[in-house]
Amino acid sequence: MKLKQILSVAFVVTLFFSCGNNSVTKENKTADNKKETPFSFNVEQFADIKVLRYQIPGWENLTLKEQKLVYYLTQAGLSGRDIMWDQNYRHNLKIRKALENIYTNYKGDKTADNWSAFTTYLKRVWFSNGIHHHYSNDKIKPEFSQDYFKEIMAATNTTLIDEAFNVIFNDKDAKKVNLTKDVDNVLLSAINFYGPDVTTADVENFYKQKKSPNPDKPLSFGLNSQLVKENGVLKERVYKSGGLYGSAIDEIVKWLEKAQGVAENKAQGDALALLIKYYKTGDLQTWDDYNVAWTAATEGNIDYINSFIEVYNDPVGYRGSYETIVQIKDFDMSEKMAVLSENAQWFEDNSPLMDAHKKDSVVGVTYKVVNVAGEAGDASPSTPIGVNLPNANWIRAAVGSKSVSLGNIIYAYNNAGSTGRLKEFVHDEEEYELEEKYGQKADKLHTALHEVIGHASGQLNPGIGETKETLKKYASTLEEGRADLVGLYYLYSPKLQELGLVDDWKSIGKAAFDGYIRNGLMTQLIRLKLGDDVEEAHMVNRQWVSAWVFEKGKADNVIEKVTRDGKTYFNINDYEKLHELFGQLLREAQRIKSEGDYKAVEALVEGYGVKVDQAIHAEVLERNKQFTSAPYSGFVNPVLVTETNDDGEITAIKVTQPESFDGQMLEYTKQYSFLSEEN
């Protein structure tokens, strides 16, 4: 599970008060006694996107062997980049090839509005790894005409025909992931996990027939395959060497084998060997064996996430999107935050969950603050800020889990400049001052609690199936909301001060509650078009959590809806009671998960998390017009450049920064295009 893009919203609204400049100046001096050039975190902004860059702190402190490990792992990750493009939509690779050919070869008027619209469209497609918006899942609409597109295609000898051409302009495949109630979510989703004639009932019936050898250790059926119909018969096309995406997977394996050769220790090397075996065979038992080994491999400075992992992009929650994150441990911050994982059992024992839903023994929970060295697939350019894996409930219970916060990503967000939105949406000066003083710390702690304690907490009742089977399309938002609630519940707790994590737990808790309610009920709506429902799993969970406690607290005026000068605000009057309400909702969310209560999760999510108050939405959009900062952010990756001797052996690896977003995207296409346009 990942805390996906929470900070893109948070920085829009609550973390704007980080350094108001676009750069951070290092105070250490160079040999000629001049200050170093300030690092610029901002690359460019277009449409609703802001592209940033991040540094890799401590790179120079790694040994050459460790740097090689990082390099090989990043190369492995980037080698699978096109898998994510193809998973997102069946025509994405064709469309990208055409768009890039036009972009690099067009010699006509580049001052025209149409050309500007074309370049913006291409950049949006790059950012989303395809023609559907990375967050809303809506198809990106070009602001140029078919006639203009045909004109610049002809001028550059570009070919794009039939459905791949038409889909750019028509209404077909309008939603990458369609989670609308009472429709066939699989059939109406453009995601390329299923053949065009596969239905939700087909998927459910197909996997009802699948039985794990050990029912207590259920395999992740469907995770690494595409389900299609051939002559009316359902068939899985498995992602593996020699199978679907085999040419890219072979490249991934090549680099993973190099990484295995410079592994820091036996446990890390053994885990990499199992990952390689999994890619070669596509065997789901090997996937579980790998996850057990990877979870237990906690020593060393370098770690990674690589494979088909998160199921947010599958409307029924079976299939994993390709992603990779390469990580370097931040020793100082990890040591400071280790107290959370060390006290995981205390948090479990003292949670408001029903006793039957608590774990008697929370095992193997680790937490690290890491610095990202490279990302690809579903983690790039739009990146999570925290991750907790593996996702299999039985591995979490029996072996444990790894949680990480992406420290340098958060740092880059904090130093990318102010948006100014906070003043507009806080109720009063007290709320503003709380946010300024404690908001950033509260957000970091919420991320940690969400990942370390939240996802690791609770257990399923005996005999209850995996949530993708019981809660179906609501499983992801229920899990993310549940983890959010764990974090919220403990953010307003003296235990944090007792553990030395905060100096003033009440102020931290108040700032966290203010920011969450403000975001869940109002400010995240700047991301939606007027009239749209909330659909992305994390946005849905923030709304159902906030709307539920608002409604349940009305009798006691816990959260007050205030109208002043024609503007709406939400003011928390009673933090103690709000804390109790968060606890009540956490208890219910865990009950739903533990018991597999589909009717209850449907009522919770559809009743509180999907529909938007249109009057408030219109107001929020109007109030937001004064701000120019984009609501979504993502990153280009640093470039690792190798130096070799006459024998071709790597002697040094330097970190450089890409000059532009388009430059990196075109370079990635040049270096990492290992899939054909037809898979």
Side-chain angles (χ1 to χ4, degrees):
M1 299 292 177
K2 65 174 75 167
L3 198 58
K4 180 73 172 177
Q5 285 295 97
I6 291 280
L7 285 193
S8 284
V9 172
F11 287 108
V12 165
V13 188
T14 62
L15 294 188
F16 86 99
F17 51 85
S18 56
C19 179
N21 298 317
N22 291 343
S23 58
V24 172
T25 303
K26 298 177 182 178
E27 291 303 319
N28 51 315
K29 309 221 178 149
T30 59
D32 59 0
N33 207 36
K34 293 180 181 179
K35 286 188 177 181
E36 293 183 11
T37 303
F39 185 83
S40 177
F41 291 92
N42 288 280
V43 178
E44 70 170 303
Q45 180 170 310
F46 50 86
D48 57 354
I49 303 297
K50 181 162 60 175
V51 179
L52 310 174
R53 55 171 65 91
Y54 62 90
Q55 298 163 294
I56 310 178
W59 176 257
E60 64 280 359
N61 297 326
L62 298 178
T63 66
L64 179 58
K65 182 181 178 183
E66 289 169 333
Q67 290 180 350
K68 286 181 180 180
L69 177 59
V70 172
Y71 175 72
Y72 295 147
L73 289 170
T74 57
Q75 292 302 301
L78 288 166
S79 295
R81 172 181 181 248
D82 279 2
I83 295 175
M84 187 71 250
W85 280 77
D86 193 73
Q87 285 184 315
N88 275 341
Y89 186 57
R90 63 188 179 276
H91 294 308
N92 272 339
L93 291 175
K94 287 181 184 177
I95 293 170
R96 188 187 75 191
K97 181 180 180 180
L99 297 177
E100 290 180 346
N101 190 66
I102 294 168
Y103 188 72
T104 55
N105 292 294
Y106 184 64
K107 307 299 183 184
D109 183 4
K110 294 185 178 181
T111 63
D113 290 344
N114 273 329
W115 178 254
S116 177
F118 170 78
T119 59
T120 296
Y121 178 75
L122 172 56
K123 289 175 182 179
R124 296 182 73 190
V125 170
W126 274 331
F127 192 89
S128 296
N129 296 314
I131 65 169
H132 296 87
H133 193 278
H134 73 286
Y135 215 78
S136 73
N137 289 313
D138 291 331
K139 190 164 63 174
I140 300 168
K141 294 183 178 180
E143 296 184 3
F144 53 86
S145 68
Q146 285 194 46
D147 288 341
Y148 179 74
F149 192 49
K150 289 177 180 177
E151 175 188 322
I152 57 178
M153 283 177 61
T156 53
N157 294 317
T158 300
T159 301
L160 188 67
I161 61 173
D162 300 332
E163 188 178 53
F165 174 90
N166 293 328
V167 76
I168 295 174
F169 301 97
N170 65 24
D171 293 329
K172 188 175 181 181
D173 294 330
K175 204 83 172 173
K176 183 174 77 174
V177 184
N178 189 324
L179 296 177
T180 306
K181 186 180 179 183
D182 297 329
V183 302
D184 192 315
N185 299 117
V186 169
L187 200 60
L188 293 181
S189 293
I191 192 78
N192 196 24
F193 289 151
Y194 301 99
D197 52 353
V198 175
T199 67
T200 302
D202 287 333
V203 180
E204 292 175 349
N205 291 332
F206 184 83
Y207 289 107
K208 280 180 183 177
Q209 310 305 316
K210 298 282 187 180
K211 303 296 179 186
S212 298
N214 184 347
D216 294 329
K217 298 179 179 180
L219 299 176
S220 299
F221 290 122
L223 185 70
N224 65 333
S225 66
Q226 182 190 56
L227 188 64
V228 299
K229 283 182 180 177
E230 291 186 0
N231 299 318
V233 178
L234 289 167
K235 174 186 175 181
E236 287 184 322
R237 302 176 70 202
V238 178
Y239 312 150
K240 64 175 182 176
S241 294
L244 187 56
Y245 304 140
S247 55
I249 288 172
D250 288 342
E251 286 291 323
I252 296 170
V253 167
K254 179 185 79 174
W255 290 105
L256 289 179
E257 288 175 339
K258 290 178 180 289
Q260 185 188 7
V262 291
E264 296 177 276
N265 51 63
K266 185 177 185 300
Q268 188 182 71
D270 289 348
L272 281 166
L274 285 166
L275 180 58
I276 291 165
K277 181 181 177 182
Y278 169 62
Y279 271 128
K280 288 182 175 180
T281 65
D283 179 66
L284 291 172
Q285 182 58 61
T286 303
W287 172 246
D288 280 355
D289 295 342
Y290 161 70
N291 275 283
V292 169
W294 175 82
T295 302
T298 57
E299 299 299 319
N301 299 337
I302 313 302
D303 210 345
Y304 62 94
I305 294 162
N306 183 303
S307 198
F308 311 102
I309 299 173
E310 303 290 4
V311 298
Y312 302 113
N313 286 323
D314 185 345
V316 285
Y318 282 87
R319 299 184 142 69
S321 296
Y322 175 80
E323 73 170 298
T324 177
I325 304 173
V326 182
Q327 313 153 5
I328 303 169
K329 184 177 179 180
D330 182 327
F331 289 94
D332 291 339
M333 284 304 301
S334 294
E335 185 176 346
K336 290 175 183 176
M337 299 299 292
V339 67
L340 279 179
S341 54
E342 291 166 0
N343 284 272
Q345 192 65 56
W346 183 93
F347 287 107
E348 183 78 354
D349 293 343
N350 290 274
S351 74
L353 309 185
M354 296 167 61
D355 288 342
H357 300 155
K358 294 181 182 180
K359 289 178 179 174
D360 293 331
S361 177
V362 180
V363 300
V365 176
T366 64
Y367 176 61
K368 296 177 182 178
V369 178
V370 300
N371 291 314
V372 172
E375 299 177 311
D378 203 31
S380 179
S382 175
T383 172
I385 56 166
V387 184
N388 175 273
L389 292 171
N391 284 330
N393 284 299
W394 77 263
I395 298 179
R396 290 175 184 271
V399 182
S401 62
K402 288 180 179 178
S403 297
V404 294
S405 291
L406 310 187
N408 59 335
I409 295 295
I410 295 172
Y411 182 79
Y413 273 127
N414 280 343
N415 288 281
S418 164
T419 71
R421 286 184 175 92
L422 181 63
K423 274 276 192 181
E424 176 63 38
F425 291 102
V426 293
H427 172 253
D428 53 28
E429 191 64 24
E430 179 185 1
E431 183 179 339
Y432 177 77
E433 290 176 358
L434 270 173
E435 183 60 48
E436 282 237 292
K437 188 172 183 180
Y438 299 104
Q440 197 170 137
K441 180 73 170 180
D443 281 319
K444 288 180 179 179
L445 278 172
H446 194 199
T447 300
L449 287 164
H450 173 110
E451 299 294 352
V452 185
I453 308 302
H455 285 310
S457 70
Q459 62 183 0
L460 300 180
N461 286 2
I464 297 298
E466 292 294 296
T467 55
K468 65 186 177 186
E469 300 163 352
T470 59
L471 306 183
K472 302 180 182 180
K473 68 178 181 179
Y474 302 113
S476 291
T477 191
L478 191 281
E479 178 60 23
E480 294 305 322
R482 193 186 66 84
D484 264 4
L485 285 161
V486 171
L488 290 165
Y489 186 77
Y490 283 118
L491 277 166
Y492 196 75
S493 168
K495 185 67 175 180
L496 296 185
Q497 196 155 332
E498 179 188 321
L499 295 176
L501 293 170
V502 300
D503 296 324
D504 184 349
W505 66 269
K506 279 199 171 183
S507 294
I508 286 285
K510 287 180 178 180
F513 286 10
D514 287 342
Y516 198 90
I517 295 301
R518 187 172 61 245
N519 191 23
L521 294 181
M522 289 194 72
T523 52
Q524 71 172 359
L525 298 179
I526 67 173
R527 295 180 156 196
L528 300 180
K529 293 178 291 186
L530 189 62
D532 283 358
D533 290 342
V534 186
E535 294 187 83
E536 195 279 329
H538 299 81
M539 288 183 69
V540 171
N541 91 241
R542 291 193 287 269
Q543 179 166 296
W544 63 252
V545 168
S546 301
W548 190 94
V549 295
F550 173 64
E551 180 181 286
K552 300 302 180 184
K554 276 184 177 179
D556 296 318
N557 202 27
V558 176
I559 303 171
E560 182 181 4
K561 183 180 177 182
V562 177
T563 301
R564 185 175 63 245
D565 299 327
K567 297 180 179 180
T568 303
Y569 306 89
F570 288 91
N571 185 52
I572 301 172
N573 292 318
D574 194 328
Y575 292 94
E576 299 285 344
K577 286 188 176 178
L578 181 54
H579 177 249
E580 292 176 10
L581 288 170
F582 282 139
Q584 291 172 24
L585 183 53
L586 171 57
R587 181 184 178 95
E588 172 62 5
Q590 183 61 56
R591 183 200 68 76
I592 290 171
K593 179 179 178 180
S594 296
E595 298 178 2
D597 191 339
Y598 179 81
K599 288 185 177 180
V601 74
E602 181 183 48
L604 178 64
V605 174
E606 296 292 345
Y608 295 96
V610 175
K611 296 300 178 184
V612 177
D613 183 316
Q614 294 302 305
I616 287 182
H617 192 186
E619 177 194 323
V620 168
L621 293 177
E622 183 62 32
R623 291 165 67 180
N624 186 61
K625 285 181 179 178
Q626 63 188 293
F627 304 109
T628 58
S629 181
Y632 299 99
S633 296
F635 292 86
V636 290
N637 287 305
V639 181
L640 303 181
V641 180
T642 60
E643 297 177 4
T644 58
N645 60 21
D646 292 340
D647 296 325
E649 297 171 339
I650 295 174
T651 58
I653 303 175
K654 306 298 183 185
V655 177
T656 65
Q657 291 289 338
E659 293 184 3
S660 65
F661 179 56
D662 62 340
Q664 180 155 92
M665 294 299 98
L666 292 170
E667 185 64 23
Y668 280 175
T669 294
K670 181 180 177 181
Q671 290 194 44
Y672 306 108
S673 292
F674 298 116
L675 294 182
S676 68
E677 297 158 31
E678 301 288 348
N679 291 291

